[in-house]
Amino acid sequence: MTSLTSWPIVFSLLPSDILSTGCTVIAAVAIVIRIFDTIRPKAVMAHLDSSITHVASKFYDFENRLDATQFLSFKDSLRKSVKLQIKALDLREMMLPTSTSPFKELQLFFKGYTVAVVKCIYEAKELDAEIEVCNQYSVL
């Protein structure tokens, strides 16, 4: 019981500069860890996988509703979809060796891997919007 009451005394003996500096350092480390956890390659790749799956399923539904003449007019969207899936597979292949070590994952991050994955996610969103427009166009 006495050990719990002695902590305020120990903290009061320390200069306030050390305490505020220590709290600042701990907060900065926590923020850096949180940021890296958000943009680390594995987390971003999981988001890319879900985006690609969503676009592929949407395109598959769109493709099934078209006849042969309509399908030829939307072949550019099909080409973009295939290129995007190949790009995602290439990025996934680059990610495989990093599954054993967080340091390799950090190395990929500094090589710009995360930026490439985020660009691919934006391309998937653009393709999703394009497929939605094509869907509305084909209904007319």
Side-chain angles (χ1 to χ4, degrees):
M1 196 74 161
T2 58
S3 65
L4 292 177
T5 57
S6 63
W7 279 109
I9 295 170
V10 171
F11 284 131
S12 68
L13 294 175
L14 294 173
S16 63
D17 294 343
I18 292 176
L19 290 176
S20 63
T21 304
C23 289
T24 305
V25 168
I26 290 172
V29 168
I31 289 170
V32 167
I33 288 172
R34 180 67 181 146
I35 288 171
F36 181 70
D37 190 45
T38 304
I39 60 174
R40 70 181 230 266
K42 283 184 184 178
V44 178
M45 194 66 200
H47 184 67
L48 175 64
D49 288 341
S50 66
S51 295
I52 294 291
T53 303
H54 175 72
V55 168
S57 67
K58 202 173 211 183
F59 194 80
Y60 180 74
D61 293 341
F62 172 66
E63 186 181 32
N64 285 337
R65 289 191 295 124
L66 296 177
D67 61 0
T69 57
Q70 288 177 324
F71 186 74
L72 289 176
S73 62
F74 297 116
K75 67 181 177 182
D76 188 43
S77 297
L78 175 65
R79 186 176 295 123
K80 283 183 185 178
S81 176
V82 170
K83 283 183 181 179
L84 188 63
Q85 289 177 2
I86 290 172
K87 188 175 182 181
L89 287 173
D90 288 343
L91 290 171
R92 168 64 67 193
E93 188 176 318
M94 282 176 50
M95 183 71 186
L96 287 176
T98 66
S99 61
T100 58
S101 169
F103 296 112
K104 289 181 181 178
E105 193 174 351
L106 190 62
Q107 187 179 24
L108 268 183
F109 172 76
F110 286 118
K111 286 183 178 179
Y113 176 82
T114 302
V115 174
V117 174
V118 169
K119 284 182 183 178
C120 199
I121 290 172
Y122 281 120
E123 288 175 17
K125 288 181 180 180
E126 288 174 5
L127 184 61
D128 187 28
E130 186 177 320
I131 290 171
E132 190 65 36
V133 168
C134 290
N135 245 343
Q136 293 174 357
Y137 178 75
S138 69
V139 170
L140 297 176

